[in-house]
Amino acid sequence: MYKKAEIIKNVELYKFGNPIKTDAVIISVDIEKFKLGNSIEGIELEKGDNSFKIKYNLDDSAKIYGLGEAVGSLNRRGKVYKTYATDDFDHTPGKEALYGAHPFLIIDNGTEKIGIFIDYSGEIIFDVAFSDKKILEIEISDLNFDMYIFKNSNYSEITKKYLELTGKSYVPPKWAFGYQQCRWSYPDSKTIKEVAGNFKKYDIPVDTIYMDIDYMKDFKVFTVDEGKFPDFKNFVKEIKDMGIKLIPIVDPGVKIESEYNVYEDGIENNYFCKNQNGEDFVAAVWPGKTHFPDFLNSKVRKWWGAQYKKLIDLGIEGFWNDMNEPAIFYTPEGLKKAFEKLNEISLKDDIGIYDMFALNEVMNSISNNRDDYKSFYHTLDNGEKILHDKVHNLFGFNMTRAASEGFDEINPDKRFLIFSRSSYAGMQRYGGIWYGDNKSWWEHILLSIKMAISVNLIGFLYSGADIGGFGENASAELLIRWSQAALFMPLYRNHSALGTRNQEPWAFDEGTREILREIIRIRYMFLPYIYSEYMKAINEKRGYINALFTKFNDENVYEIEDQFLVGENLMAAPIYEQNSTGRYVYLPETNWLQWNLSKEKLRDVKIIDKGYHYIKSKIEETAIFIKENSLVVIGEVQNFVGEKKEDSLTIIGFVEDRANYCYYNDDGVSKEYEKGEYIKIDIEIISKDNDYEIKISKEGNYKHNIREINFEIYNSKESWNKRIILK
Amino acid sequence: MYKKAEIIKNVELYKFGNPIKTDAVIISVDIEKFKLGNSIEGIELEKGDNSFKIKYNLDDSAKIYGLGEAVGSLNRRGKVYKTYATDDFDHTPGKEALYGAHPFLIIDNGTEKIGIFIDYSGEIIFDVAFSDKKILEIEISDLNFDMYIFKNSNYSEITKKYLELTGKSYVPPKWAFGYQQCRWSYPDSKTIKEVAGNFKKYDIPVDTIYMDIDYMKDFKVFTVDEGKFPDFKNFVKEIKDMGIKLIPIVDPGVKIESEYNVYEDGIENNYFCKNQNGEDFVAAVWPGKTHFPDFLNSKVRKWWGAQYKKLIDLGIEGFWNDMNEPAIFYTPEGLKKAFEKLNEISLKDDIGIYDMFALNEVMNSISNNRDDYKSFYHTLDNGEKILHDKVHNLFGFNMTRAASEGFDEINPDKRFLIFSRSSYAGMQRYGGIWYGDNKSWWEHILLSIKMAISVNLIGFLYSGADIGGFGENASAELLIRWSQAALFMPLYRNHSALGTRNQEPWAFDEGTREILREIIRIRYMFLPYIYSEYMKAINEKRGYINALFTKFNDENVYEIEDQFLVGENLMAAPIYEQNSTGRYVYLPETNWLQWNLSKEKLRDVKIIDKGYHYIKSKIEETAIFIKENSLVVIGEVQNFVGEKKEDSLTIIGFVEDRANYCYYNDDGVSKEYEKGEYIKIDIEIISKDNDYEIKISKEGNYKHNIREINFEIYNSKESWNKRIILK
């Protein structure tokens, strides 16, 4: 039934049929290592005519995590999910698929944990103990796929193995951890200057401003509308001189328009996806009718990657790849069929309610229609034609791969900001993701927390939700609480849709603006910690935002889906309910230091016992928690990353006995850190009688400029401060 | 600007312009009592050309409750709401209007509480500190309306005054508190017999089975499809002999079909709403093209009310009035316009994306289009024609009023079950409501709790959500937790939509069936308490499901929106999260007795301190809490209400010092209770040294048959049992 090999220690590959290579996995196996097999212990295999079912019996207490970007509870048990990249702007609880397809999950049967990764790029349905509460059933819509089984007792170890298999996560430039401002749309340079000016006027730190679809000339990818953005290169520089980078959107659909060079290039070189007649496939998206580049082909990727140079040459250093499920508004064929049906109905003498329902069905099936995804083809490097539907989930993956590989060509040592809406397992190597078109719903703050935890389990570390919500209208309170909830998320971007209420920090009242300003300043204050923890997590192949159950051996933490660890030692427990000035928090294992953040300089801290608590936080307060015997690091607030020297660090900690912190830094912009150009400063504090010993050691070649380290240490008896000047 | 009068103590009426009489208010004011006024203290009045704005400044700490049936947090602060009865099957967080229109809210500025009731039956927009976080702005789309201002320091007193003004709440028959089973649809007598048979086979109590739209012949209201339900009268009896009542749905749209008597009657007597040309207005709903009865006219109501007799004569004793916003699938005019637009687009040479968006907009505007509501008229009793849009919110109100007044004619002393989808303030006099087309979402369990609390504040005591969720698919766990969460809700009905997973108690696995059976049995065990508390609340004009803040003078309870009081002494704190086996609970003021309900006979109880707790509840457990020095009453489990004699009561309580309980009962079917045919048994327990004194006294004429009262009393030192045989 399958061929089997141990691919790395404790990870087995089961090869069913003859799957196409998705490139999710970076480790190849010697064909001679394979053995034939027919059954897998504990797993029922059921081969159908065109699909394959995998069944796994679950204990009553079994928990199931994974599936990356998905709506619902973190423990996936009790719902059906589907991996089929879907542009859906309505993330309601029942939705089975979103933009990303991450067919990986972890079954926790108590001590034993089993990871299952189905490397198949078409539709997979995961019935996670929904139809039958004791059975996990995975239905793969093909007979050809790879299945990897991970066995380990530890969540982090499974993530680590998974990342050994699928590749180390993407590292953005350090400025990508600053505050980012987006809107659909800031349509011209005048508006962007105003926005940038407001940040300066109100003294609010910011690192980027986004350019949504309207910056392009007629939505033509890799063009800039010169009418709205005259002398774009100079404009980019002007904004950059304020410390702000402009981040344009990039969509895959290439407008069908003669004399448009991307289109002409693509036609000339046969770079577009084909329909069954071998003609270029036509789908309408923002620019109207377009062709889709065939990203599965390496020549096309190379060509596409080189296109980014057009914008890079104008001073651009970051991009977001959108619409790459690929979203389809309609195809001419689909629309024709729909209109035929509409006409048929409209000509009836008496239109009845069932006609009406049919009408609705017709309309609802025009966009993102599965039949359209079944009507076009890719041409692989070996010349093989493959139906899009079978590799649907690889489209966004390969678009972003094209960008990433392009950057490597254009400027190999430079880090670019790149993140994508659609993704597949392994895409973490090339860029980050954002969670797509959420809404200004309180429920979506909580969802963004669960998503962050879940995508971190599979290496999508650079990620985040649109703060304040993309669709619908945000209240001031919602935006404040969301900005607090996202305080430690790598991608810290406020974004909102056309037609909704503005949600820049100054779009509300003055009081709200001041609170948001302080939150953003606190974000910058924590950048040394955020960056340090992020880079260590990347290098050690683990999550940066982590569920409590990945760290604490405590039955109570399994059901906690609204608290999370940032790195190793800091716990966040955001408020995500309207009109709330408090929430319940569980503190596992030890005592914790509670820190109510509200102003940069204010240390409103206290030690609280382990266990269940109700923690009050006024609208301007964000409570965070530092574990006993651990340290965090903060720095000076900057108006943008790199504004200041970053030469003074402050270590804040809760030390009863001993604690250490490894501070990581590098230049933040190049890839030299891969060659040893980084610094790790290991700081250890040991409590001795009524005194403390501080040990500081360093590793790495990066010429850091840290001049002094300040200490603010708390314990149950006292607090103390100390300043150490570094040689 | 207005005329003003004190209508009852602490309730002032401000009459703006010359409003039509909605009949929400049952107290009339002598015209001579009115004084003219121009300003109201603390309220800014802003008269526009066709609308009126009322602005109220809010403290930072002000809380705002009310608006009855609405999506969102119980404290409404931070969202925009609209009263305009809307058929919406997607109760997502941003929705501004649902089926019911309840333009009443309470502003709590600390000690002072102000109730505002805008008696206007068209659209009102409530911007509850959304646009400006310090301002409540109410925009009435008319210059003619009544505003009532209530001033009191107590929530319950405001509800009481509101009910004095708008009328005492509806009392259903006692069997309407039993378990109810619904499905869209049990389409024929065979299916219903199977469903009824399964309740008996699996020994699960049940009182009603519902008949959704498919029981009618071609969806014609007040008909029964004889093909699917041969010899309907006998069939109703056959099911009733099993202890089960059949509850048919009633829709307002009357199918246009000659020789159909309801249609012919309506045409002959001019009973239907008219378009601007004076022709009968045509709207398509389930039966296809229909006319809407003009329920605002008393003659039409009388006629409509009498129609129910057709089904009552066949043995029916309860109804649910649906679709009475009124929902409109389409109007011929609307559809014509839409097709014109569609045609226009389809004839274009090159259909672009903006055409596509226009297409979507056209389609989305076909159903429940405001223009349609602005295109038909009512004829009031005085002959005045009034545009539907201005009285839109009175349609469901008056349909249900017609039913209720009809029942009074048909059988004046009998209680019928009647509840409605649409409602307006004051409709609580005529029937209950259910919360419409929710979904099988965990979030909708929590929403149903908030809705219950909110509609109880305005007297809609007989109410409930579709347990398990109407749309989408329920998991076994969701149905169990929802059945637990709704345990004390008056309307205890499991309902689900066509095309979704079945969710009768036996539709899942055997273990789930057994858990659901026990929950339903526990519901029946509590019926003496539920009915007693319900009737006392009705008679005393207060809520039955109550927010903690209505009872406890404790700042911490204001933000608790997921716990509620059932009557006076019992607190519920349901689990509403997937894969959770516990939740946080706050216990105010005193110690409480925690009772983990799982099996009827099991008393898994313990005393816990006031304050914050994390309470574990396995999937089969429902934790409830009895306040110190209070009692609840339970009875014997019946397979349907009235099966057994109800001659043995058990008092369960937590008594440190003294506690009393007033048990109320009556015949449960007639209205004789209004004439004194009820019994109130007052039971008092006084702790004396190491002994107890029990006092029992009675009031009322109802010849109850209570033979014995058993006591199971707990306190911090001991527990004791006692049986008292009544003379």
Side-chain angles (χ1 to χ4, degrees), chain A residues 77 330 351 559 578 581, chain B residues 77 285 330 351 559 578 581:
Chain A
R77 195 165 181 161
Y330 65 88
I351 295 165
E559 293 181 9
Q578 194 175 340
T581 58
Chain B
R77 195 166 180 159
V285 271
Y330 65 88
I351 295 166
E559 293 181 9
Q578 194 176 339
T581 57

Side-chain angles (χ1 to χ4, degrees), chain A residues 75 77 131 133 285-286 289 330 339 346 350-351 353 363 501 509 512 559 578-579 581 584 612, chain B residues 75 77 130-131 133 285-286 289 330 339 346 350-351 353 363 501 509 512 559 578-579 581 584:
Chain A
N75 179 354
R77 195 165 181 161
S131 296
K133 69 185 180 190
V285 272
W286 291 114
K289 287 178 194 156
Y330 65 88
F339 274 117
S346 76
D350 190 20
I351 295 165
I353 50 159
M363 287 305 302
R501 188 179 193 179
D509 54 288
T512 299
E559 293 181 9
Q578 194 175 340
N579 295 307
T581 58
Y584 293 99
Y612 295 104
Chain B
N75 180 354
R77 195 166 180 159
F130 176 79
S131 296
K133 68 185 179 189
V285 271
W286 291 115
K289 286 178 196 156
Y330 65 88
F339 274 117
S346 76
D350 190 19
I351 295 166
I353 49 156
M363 285 306 301
R501 189 179 193 180
D509 55 288
T512 298
E559 293 181 9
Q578 194 176 339
N579 295 307
T581 57
Y584 292 98

Side-chain angles (χ1 to χ4, degrees), chain B residues 326-374:
Chain B
I328 294 178
F329 291 166
Y330 65 88
T331 59
E333 294 76 20
L335 204 59
K336 192 166 163 253
K337 255 195 248 171
F339 274 117
E340 280 165 11
K341 185 77 191 163
L342 296 178
N343 261 320
E344 186 190 304
I345 295 170
S346 76
L347 294 174
K348 285 195 173 188
D349 281 343
D350 190 19
I351 295 166
I353 49 156
Y354 294 102
D355 297 315
M356 177 69 199
F357 296 157
L359 209 65
N360 271 317
E361 215 182 291
V362 170
M363 285 306 301
N364 289 333
S365 66
I366 292 177
S367 293
N368 302 322
N369 191 314
R370 185 80 183 262
D371 287 341
D372 289 329
Y373 294 125
K374 285 179 176 169

Side-chain angles (χ1 to χ4, degrees), chain B residues 32 67 217 247 257 426 563 672:
Chain B
E32 284 168 19
L67 298 175
K217 176 70 181 161
I247 312 294
E257 187 183 279
Q563 301 177 208
E672 293 299 309

Side-chain angles (χ1 to χ4, degrees), chain A residues 90 92-95, chain B residues 88-92 95 99 435-445 447 465-474 478 482 495 497 500 503:
Chain A
D90 209 33
T92 47
K95 291 297 165 70
Chain B
D88 190 323
F89 62 92
D90 209 31
H91 306 177
T92 47
K95 291 296 164 71
Y99 318 90
Y435 311 148
D437 297 346
N438 62 1
K439 293 217 165 77
S440 298
W441 295 347
W442 287 91
E443 288 80 350
H444 276 184
I445 302 181
L447 179 60
D466 287 344
I467 294 167
F470 179 70
E472 302 197 4
N473 299 314
L478 175 122
W482 205 323
H495 186 25
T500 66
Q503 60 188 39

